[in-house]
Amino acid sequence: MMSLGLRQAARQLRLAPAALALGGGALLSLALAPWHMLPGLPLALAAAGWLVLQAASARAASLAGWLFGLGYFAFGLSWIIEPFQIDPDRHAWMAPFALVFLAAGLALFWGAAFGIAARFSRGALRIPMLAAVWSLAEFARAYLLTGFPWAAFGQFWLDTPAANLLPWIGPQGLALLTLAAFLPLGLLRKNPAAALLPPALVAAAILAAPAPSATELTSKTVRIVQPNAPQNLKWHPDHRWEFVRRALAFSAENPRPDLIVWPETAVPQLLNYAEDTLQVIAEGAGRVPVLLGIQREEGGAYYNSAVLLDSDGLPDATYDKAHLVPFGEYVPFGDFMARFGIHGFASQAGAGYAAGPGAQLLDLPIGSALPLICYEAVFPQDVNAAETRPGMLVQITNDAWFGTRSGPYQHLVQARMRALEQGLPMIRAANTGVSAMIAPDGTLLDRLPLGEAGYFDASLPAPLPPTLYSRTGDWPVFLLCLIFAGAAIFLPRALAPRS
């Protein structure tokens, strides 16, 4: 019955609309970093609006939405094959399957949104209904099953006036506005006024949004170190210590900063046995405190950690990564899967890492900081989870896993969005780049490009006042999407004449 239904939906969709759905999704993905091809965005979403309007059934609409998502995620997340090239003899054969299954799985959220819009609304009302339920599908993608909000619609708009809305409505609000503005273009042939009015209203809202206040610099100086260790050599016994020596040489340069930051897992041994190494780092850094990434073991569990070394090289504070990467840092049902030799790619510790307790602040010599390790900067809800507001965000990451094409640049965009949403500066130390000092308005004050070893000293920006989004999180936009979806379903029935 299931295969019969899918064949029937495919016949109803027909070949040309199916190609339009796949191509429209691929075109939409080009709005992401590093391409930022925004002119294709209205065309792609106009095609999505037209597809849901033309769908003969909810099943046909679901298939169209799924194909649109497949095209989008397959192109936008193509960097996902990079981790499988680190050890190609063992893992390269998995890369195509990982990309296909990831894209196909994420596209299910979009297929469900298209199907619901077609099932519960008719005619032109399918457009606002789709905007609402598609936004709810993006909420589900961001939160369910640990969440994966990578390639979300809000990421299109950094470095445009639309980004000024992020401190007010957050990334999910910006995604809703994106859909509300451009999906109605699917009505252009039938009703030009209804198609063009929403983009005009959204553009007016964007232009009315106040820009963040000017960045002010403090007297504190931070040195950000980028050793540029290729992932296939990072843990190699013949090479791993040369990257530590490289980072140490950068740390020893004068003049002395107030804090030195090394990237994720910068020290290739467990904290439990690294006492001599940490002493050498402290001496080489001229007794300047160093925040660095290192693994540690406690009670038989292994953690991916950020550790602050005091002037004597002793661990003064520790943060354990809480939001782990599925199949990267842990494997679901890890003990069972380990019997078959399946372990997390990024973990050097058996079946994977254990998760830390969650968001916590570190008292650094330059102020209170919320540490984020790699993937954690992808999740705005993780940043909002801190009990008290920090004075800055600090992200240490190893983007060598993401290759050199799109992955590191998309990761950087999301880090900049977190700073802008919170009105906080971010210190970003990346193993292979892009390392940066990010201002509270999301701009890059200083940076090291991808694939370059080096360091820079940057003045720490002062934080801006707390933003509206930092106080409310995603709840207002989520409730607004529910209200819009309910209105699209029930208002026509309430207003219809009764026999």
Side-chain angles (χ1 to χ4, degrees), residues 13 17-19 21-23 25-26 62-72 107 111:
L13 182 61
L22 272 171
S62 292
L63 183 56
W66 182 79
L67 288 171
F68 195 92
L70 183 66
Y72 178 78

Side-chain angles (χ1 to χ4, degrees), residues 14-24 67:
R14 300 187 301 275
L15 181 60
L20 178 64
L22 272 171
L67 288 171

Side-chain angles (χ1 to χ4, degrees), residues 203-478:
I206 290 170
L207 293 175
S213 303
T215 297
E216 297 183 4
L217 300 180
T218 70
S219 61
K220 302 296 185 181
T221 301
V222 181
R223 177 167 298 173
I224 299 176
V225 172
Q226 183 170 297
N228 193 36
Q231 191 58 42
N232 62 335
L233 300 178
K234 181 175 169 60
W235 296 98
H236 194 286
D238 296 335
H239 297 278
R240 58 184 179 177
W241 291 107
E242 70 182 71
F243 304 118
V244 176
R245 289 191 290 269
R246 182 183 296 174
L248 192 55
F250 295 149
S251 302
E253 294 289 335
N254 288 315
R256 312 309 303 155
D258 298 294
L259 176 70
I260 299 171
V261 182
W262 289 18
E264 178 185 16
T265 56
V267 178
Q269 64 184 139
L270 288 175
L271 177 65
N272 310 62
Y273 311 110
E275 181 178 351
D276 292 342
T277 302
L278 302 183
Q279 291 288 332
V280 171
I281 292 173
E283 292 172 5
R287 302 298 176 181
V288 173
V290 179
L291 180 68
L292 53 77
I294 191 170
Q295 298 175 107
R296 70 182 195 90
E297 182 270 332
E298 182 179 333
Y302 292 84
Y303 297 90
N304 184 1
S305 304
V307 174
L308 176 66
L309 303 183
D310 65 15
S311 58
D312 296 320
L314 299 175
D316 189 46
T318 301
Y319 167 74
D320 298 321
K321 186 176 182 182
H323 204 142
L324 304 176
V325 182
F327 298 100
E329 293 172 311
Y330 80 100
V331 176
F333 310 106
D335 292 340
F336 174 77
M337 300 297 283
R339 298 178 185 178
F340 302 94
I342 299 176
H343 307 287
F345 277 104
S347 173
Q348 302 294 315
Y353 294 118
Q360 66 183 73
L361 304 189
L362 294 182
D363 289 326
L364 305 181
I366 56 173
S368 174
L370 177 68
L372 303 166
I373 299 180
C374 190
Y375 184 65
E376 291 180 314
V378 171
F379 299 91
Q381 62 265 35
D382 288 355
V383 180
N384 267 339
E387 292 185 0
T388 57
R389 189 174 193 247
M392 72 202 76
L393 307 174
V394 179
Q395 183 194 17
I396 61 171
T397 183
N398 177 23
D399 285 7
W401 285 107
F402 302 148
T404 58
R405 292 180 293 178
S406 60
Y409 298 107
Q410 292 175 9
H411 200 200
L412 176 64
V413 163
Q414 294 172 87
R416 294 175 61 193
M417 290 173 68
R418 302 296 87 81
L420 180 54
E421 291 156 8
Q422 299 292 323
L424 294 173
M426 177 183 282
I427 300 164
R428 187 176 200 262
N431 168 32
T432 55
V434 177
S435 298
M437 177 64 78
I438 304 172
D441 62 0
T443 59
L444 298 174
L445 298 179
D446 208 341
R447 62 176 172 175
L448 279 169
L450 190 67
E452 180 179 306
Y455 76 94
F456 64 87
D457 291 344
S459 296
L460 177 70
L464 297 177
T467 65
L468 178 65
Y469 179 70
S470 69
R471 294 188 178 102
T472 65
D474 290 322
W475 277 107
V477 176
F478 179 73

Side-chain angles (χ1 to χ4, degrees), residues 155-221:
Q155 295 162 32
F156 301 155
W157 300 109
L158 198 64
D159 295 321
T160 74
N164 290 336
L165 291 170
L166 283 170
W168 300 91
I169 59 176
Q172 297 290 356
L174 197 49
L176 175 60
L177 283 182
T178 302
L179 295 171
F182 297 118
L183 284 177
L185 293 177
L187 291 165
L188 193 57
R189 288 185 61 187
K190 291 186 176 181
N191 192 334
L196 297 175
L197 182 59
L201 293 175
V202 171
I206 290 170
L207 293 175
S213 303
T215 297
E216 297 183 4
L217 300 180
T218 70
S219 61
K220 302 296 185 181
T221 301

